[in-house]
Amino acid sequence: QVRLVESGGGLVQPGGSLRLSCAAHGSFSTITTMGWYRQAPGKERELVAAIIGSGNTNYANSVKGRFTISRNIAETTVDLQMNSLKPEDTAVYYCNMGGIRLGLPWNAWGQGTQVTVSS
């Protein structure tokens, strides 16, 4: 079983920055996808950013140029650097990873971390 542990959320003023981190714990052979999703009150969960395969990245249009996703495969961690934060970025942010374990695919979610952008 794979467990994801997130950290780094909090309250920040508009224009500020936060860095989210997510570490994978457990037994797994490979990690093929790493990403961050978010869910605001009354809205569906949406993809924020992802790293797939050899390192291709994908960002939601609303965060392009402001957020940067990075990973450390050796340490099985993925970070999300969030700059120029806006009130509309307020949401619970979830880490997601997927890969292969014992020849079978696995997928795991973190517990979520609150990000609030407000003055």
Side-chain angles (χ1 to χ4, degrees):
Q1 185 174 355
V2 180
R3 183 170 62 94
L4 304 184
V5 179
E6 303 158 353
S7 61
L11 172 65
V12 64
Q13 293 186 343
S17 298
L18 280 176
R19 188 176 184 89
L20 305 181
S21 294
C22 176
H25 301 273
S27 175
F28 45 85
S29 298
T30 61
I31 299 176
T32 55
T33 63
M34 292 176 152
W36 288 92
Y37 290 71
R38 68 186 180 187
Q39 188 167 19
K43 295 186 177 181
E44 294 186 353
R45 189 173 298 188
E46 64 175 357
L47 174 68
V48 177
I51 296 180
I52 301 170
S54 60
N56 294 323
T57 57
N58 183 29
Y59 292 93
N61 287 333
S62 59
V63 306
K64 284 181 180 178
R66 299 188 298 121
F67 291 11
T68 302
I69 189 170
S70 60
R71 69 181 180 182
N72 185 323
I73 286 293
E75 296 182 0
T76 60
T77 61
V78 61
D79 293 347
L80 185 68
Q81 178 66 41
M82 305 185 293
N83 298 328
S84 302
L85 283 160
K86 305 175 180 180
E88 50 264 43
D89 294 317
T90 295
V92 178
Y93 284 69
Y94 297 90
C95 174
N96 176 265
M97 295 189 192
I100 302 295
R101 183 180 69 236
L102 300 178
L104 296 174
W106 60 268
N107 191 276
W109 290 90
Q111 78 280 6
T113 184
Q114 177 69 47
V115 171
T116 302
V117 184
S118 175
S119 55

